[in-house]
Amino acid sequence: MKCDVVIVGSGGAGLVAAIRAAELGKDVVVVSKGYPTEAQTSMAQGGINAASTQQDIQQHIEDTLRSGQGLADPEVVEFVCTQAPKAIKWLDSIGVPFDRDDKEIARRKLGGASNPRACYAQDYTGLKILHTLYDNALKLGVRFVHEHFLLNIISEDNRAYGVTLLDKRSTQVKQLLSRAVILATGGFAKIYGPFSTNGEGSFGEGIAAAMRAGAKLSDLEFVQFHPTALAKSAILISEAARGLGAKIVNQKGEQFIDELATRDKISRAIYEQLAIGNEVFLDMREIGEEIIQRELPQERKLAMIYENVDPAKELLPIKPAAHYTMGGIDTESNGGTNIAGFFAVGECANVKLHGANRLGGNSLLELVVMGKRVGESAAAVSLEIEEKNFERTLIDSNFIKAVFTLPNSIDFMERKEFLQKVLFHNAGIVREELALKGVLSVIRQHQKELAFMGIKDKSPLYNTELIAFLEYGNMVELTEAMVVGAVQRNESRGAHYRKDHPKTKEEYHAHTFIWKEDGVLCADFVKQNITKN
């Protein structure tokens, strides 16, 4: 198969890029490992930021820079925040059913924001945006390839020519050639397993594939933990609840943190309460049942199903959980990477909008504003592609065949669950050097053991164990890069908190870059376009 633009990932960022490239007359194919409406975007509840006045646009810029703790690029932040009102107008025009106050789109205040500016559709904002984008992409003739797992980017001489994919239904390896490749594969917060709000599959295979292809990654150590996940299931309760007046209390009824502080501060405060044996709850009772049912119906239902608690009447047990990864494939402001013809957008990319800590409501905004820009950049690539069998495809086909012959003498699922626990307790909300180096040792041991693992299921049809094994391989590769970044950043900044280095340091006012040379992991700090905040 061949096309002008291939986009791997069918969440909001991928679909916006697809729509824009298709509007410009390009033949676009979107690859999804499941189906578009299952993407992580559907879980975004709180809203999408867009100021309604010129004065608040400036405040939005300042809030974003402050949250980014000096690592957000001021030019990117200004571009995205000033484009936000247009982004909302466009979403409204294509059919997103935003809530309204009379005729105007309603806005609510999220944590870290100076003013109410998050536009929303009850607490289904991401889901309704995603469905609307999918409908519009279909109308424009965007082609979709479902149930295909990304293996690698086909690149030669530092230029991308397409991707290799595993057909999940048949275990057949295929190549999809294109003039431009866009990865919109999402983040990697699921590496924390049950300590993450993310759905199954957010293990960062796109980021790992980019690193194998020679792309540079940046700021991987900044992992945002959301403070209000359900205690048993880690399902997200949006900060829209706190915006409406919900309180965070312990079992003694004590409030111990400002509920509208940034997510890193609240998460750390809750983590410390849990560490001394306290229980922590979200108290939504003062909001009132009528408002909860009108504005947060999904969250009330989820709490009742998964926690057996009606938050309109009872305290809701909560815990912090890994929610969003700020770092990823390093990109320029147009989404381009250090590989020609290869772009990245959304949570898998680091265009440096969020810096060290993302402001709530900015991720949905990023996918719309940057999705359009990256779609335009990819559409402008004019290189002709020779239709041939690339060596990468042959290597990947042989690799998949080899997986079926591995000895399976070590249970990779057992190793995976162990690594997830180790990551949460030692490379999660609170970190220190000794514990991080211990995690690194565990990861490298797992890398050595990969050749002794394998799969029990030898069927070529819908082999879910094979997919899980491939995800685990990507997880081991990517977590090493993340932990190396965390070890080297001897300071606390944004979502990266080092117990042994609790203060922010000027010498680390820089981005962490990670890449591979001849299979060896390399790391460095680079000062570029950093703010004085």
Side-chain angles (χ1 to χ4, degrees), residues 76 78 232 260 304 312 322 385 387 451:
V76 173
E78 181 174 354
K232 292 179 183 174
L260 291 180
M304 294 171 77
I385 301 292
E387 200 151 2

Side-chain angles (χ1 to χ4, degrees), residues 89-319:
K89 190 174 180 181
W90 177 70
L91 289 173
D92 191 37
S93 73
I94 64 172
V96 174
F98 286 114
D99 281 27
R100 280 177 153 76
D101 292 330
D102 294 327
K103 292 183 180 178
E104 298 296 322
I105 291 174
R107 286 170 167 82
R108 59 187 171 204
K109 187 174 181 179
L110 301 182
S114 302
N115 299 304
R117 68 172 76 93
C119 306
Y120 59 93
Q122 291 183 308
D123 54 356
Y124 295 97
T125 311
L127 180 72
K128 293 186 177 180
I129 288 175
L130 190 65
H131 281 223
T132 306
L133 292 173
Y134 184 43
D135 286 346
N136 282 270
L138 290 172
K139 287 177 191 171
L140 285 165
V142 172
R143 292 187 285 160
F144 284 85
V145 174
H146 304 306
E147 296 192 297
H148 280 64
F149 185 87
L150 173 67
L151 294 174
N152 279 297
I153 297 159
I154 300 171
S155 63
E156 292 182 356
D157 301 324
N158 206 41
R159 211 239 173 254
Y161 293 93
V163 292
T164 59
L165 305 166
L166 180 74
D167 186 335
K168 293 168 66 175
R169 294 164 292 195
S170 65
T171 321
Q172 183 184 357
V173 174
K174 303 173 179 176
Q175 66 177 23
L176 202 168
L177 306 182
S178 61
R179 294 176 175 176
V181 175
I182 300 176
L183 290 195
T185 48
F188 57 92
K190 196 60 180 176
I191 63 171
Y192 292 92
F195 309 99
S196 169
T197 64
N198 283 203
E200 290 298 330
S202 297
F203 292 105
E205 63 261 26
I207 304 171
M211 181 164 62
R212 289 193 293 271
K216 289 189 174 180
L217 313 180
S218 58
D219 299 336
L220 296 180
E221 66 270 30
F222 295 107
V223 178
Q224 185 176 77
F225 282 75
H226 198 290
T228 55
L230 293 181
K232 292 179 183 174
S233 60
I235 289 175
L236 176 69
I237 297 296
S238 163
E239 60 196 359
R242 284 173 282 133
L244 289 169
K247 308 296 183 189
I248 294 174
V249 298
N250 61 23
Q251 77 277 12
K252 302 169 192 170
E254 298 169 339
Q255 284 182 258
F256 52 87
I257 184 71
D258 173 8
E259 284 82 359
L260 291 180
T262 51
R263 292 174 176 176
D264 60 309
K265 292 177 182 173
I266 304 176
S267 293
R268 200 157 58 245
I270 294 174
Y271 184 81
E272 289 167 355
Q273 287 283 316
L274 296 173
I276 60 174
N278 282 339
E279 295 176 276
V280 180
F281 303 90
L282 189 65
D283 186 354
M284 298 170 62
R285 294 174 296 182
E286 288 188 14
I287 298 173
E289 187 170 359
E290 183 181 344
I291 295 175
I292 291 174
Q293 192 55 38
R294 186 179 67 235
E295 299 208 15
L296 305 170
Q298 178 185 205
E299 294 177 38
R300 184 184 189 190
K301 189 173 181 180
L302 291 171
M304 294 171 77
I305 292 173
Y306 291 99
E307 209 69 32
N308 197 27
V309 168
D310 182 352
K313 299 173 183 173
E314 305 164 88
L315 292 174
L316 184 61
I318 56 168
K319 66 180 181 183

Side-chain angles (χ1 to χ4, degrees), residues 456-475:
K456 298 174 188 172
D457 184 356
K458 306 298 183 184
S459 169
L461 303 178
Y462 276 112
N463 192 323
T464 55
E465 189 183 14
L466 172 63
I467 299 300
F469 182 70
L470 297 174
E471 287 176 335
Y472 171 69
N474 284 317
M475 173 182 166

